[in-house]
Amino acid sequence: MFTTARTVLEKTQPGASPLDLFAAIESLKKSLNAVILAHYYQEPDIQDIADYIGDSLQLARAAAQTDAEVIVFAGVHFMAETAKILNPDKLVLLPDLNAGCSLADTCPAEEFALFKRAHPEHLVISYINCSAEIKAMSDIICTSSNAVKIIQQIPEEQPIIFTPDRNLGRYVMRQTGRDMVLWQGSCIVHETFSEKKIVQLKITHPKAETIAHPECEESVLRHANYIGSTAALLKYCQESSSQEFIVATEPGIIHQMQKAAPHKTFIPAPPENNCNCNECPFMRLNTLEKLYLAMKNQAPEITMDEEIRVKAWRPIQRMLEISA
Ligand code: 13P
Ligand code: SF4
């Protein structure tokens, strides 16, 4: 079921009739033997045409298991890169190669290499929101849905570096009682929510539950009734008896929440300014039109150095084994 009819005139064919993008993408999917994987933060039309929608762990699993020849990744660069690390022989397409991640960008490889060298006894646990180079320097990868479980399995006496997200790191430390050395990275989207406006919303909607992604700052997390990954938040709002939710994460997820619980109300947590900065500017670079063009042109594709890929594969594989 599609939310809107999307048509586009192909500029290369003057006078051509409008192209039904949904039909064209469905047809390319068959001819390419492609699978479309989409993150919850993608625009609704992309979510609706995807074969699989999920959080970053679910999408990494879907990428590891697919037998399609082409993976069209509707998400950000590190997610498509993870799919390529797991599938070196497949063509992995990202509709817009500029769809990066502000959090991944806070951890440049050269600086992290020095940081790691300064902590030679430490195990490196990296949040999946990082580059292939950082993954290659890591012992285990985690996502927001399995970080607590993974840290709990590390022997008590083993010191840990956690990178790049300081907010998720702090949340995991609180949940596990473990001390960790935190890289001081963060996401511009999850640090934009206004504590003041969330508190005001809680007063005007006294029955609403506040649900938040652990990438949010402590000042927001302390008002949350439930904290979890995008998939966990989606599950929680279906199972909770509450009828109203203030949602402190990228509002793209609300499309699935509304589909799963149409009688409930979802209020996006407002940003500090009167802007749209609670929408991830990188995720939103992908559009249905660009997704169609990527499939038609079989580009842009994700490529990477084979030595880095092999090194980055190991800690991802460890994560998939530990959190199976
Ligand atoms: P999830 O692991 O919950 O999908 O989060 C990914 C992400 O980029 C959050 O900003
Ligand atoms: Fe990266 Fe933040 Fe966008 Fe998630 S929401 S992809 S962490 S910039």
Side-chain angles (χ1 to χ4, degrees), residues 39 41 76 78-79 100-104 127 129 186-190 215 249-250 279-283:
H39 189 267
Y41 295 165
V76 288
F78 76 82
M79 295 178 177
C101 169
S102 67
L103 173 55
Y127 186 34
N129 298 39
S186 62
C187 155
I188 52 166
V189 178
H190 286 85
E215 283 179 25
T249 191
E250 215 274 3
E279 287 187 1
C280 175
F282 307 100
M283 286 277 181

Side-chain angles (χ1 to χ4, degrees), residues 151-193:
I151 301 293
Q152 280 169 337
Q153 294 183 47
I154 311 297
E156 290 279 333
E157 61 285 1
Q158 173 63 58
I160 299 171
I161 289 176
F162 187 88
T163 192
D165 190 31
R166 62 179 174 202
N167 293 317
L168 176 63
R170 199 183 315 107
Y171 169 74
V172 171
M173 278 166 59
R174 209 168 353 98
Q175 293 298 303
T176 60
R178 289 291 292 264
D179 198 18
M180 301 193 292
V181 177
L182 301 183
W183 182 266
Q184 294 298 311
S186 62
C187 155
I188 52 166
V189 178
H190 286 85
E191 288 207 334
T192 197
F193 298 114

Side-chain angles (χ1 to χ4, degrees), residues 246-274:
I246 298 163
V247 183
T249 191
E250 215 274 3
I253 182 77
I254 292 178
H255 181 56
Q256 293 303 319
M257 290 175 169
Q258 278 165 341
K259 280 174 121 178
H263 53 286
K264 297 191 178 183
T265 304
F266 302 97
I267 307 163
E272 203 60 69
N273 305 310
N274 294 326

Side-chain angles (χ1 to χ4, degrees), residues 97-118:
L97 267 193
N98 290 320
C101 169
S102 67
L103 173 55
D105 289 348
T106 59
C107 192
E110 311 78 57
E111 284 176 40
F112 186 72
L114 295 175
F115 187 74
K116 185 180 163 177
R117 216 169 296 149

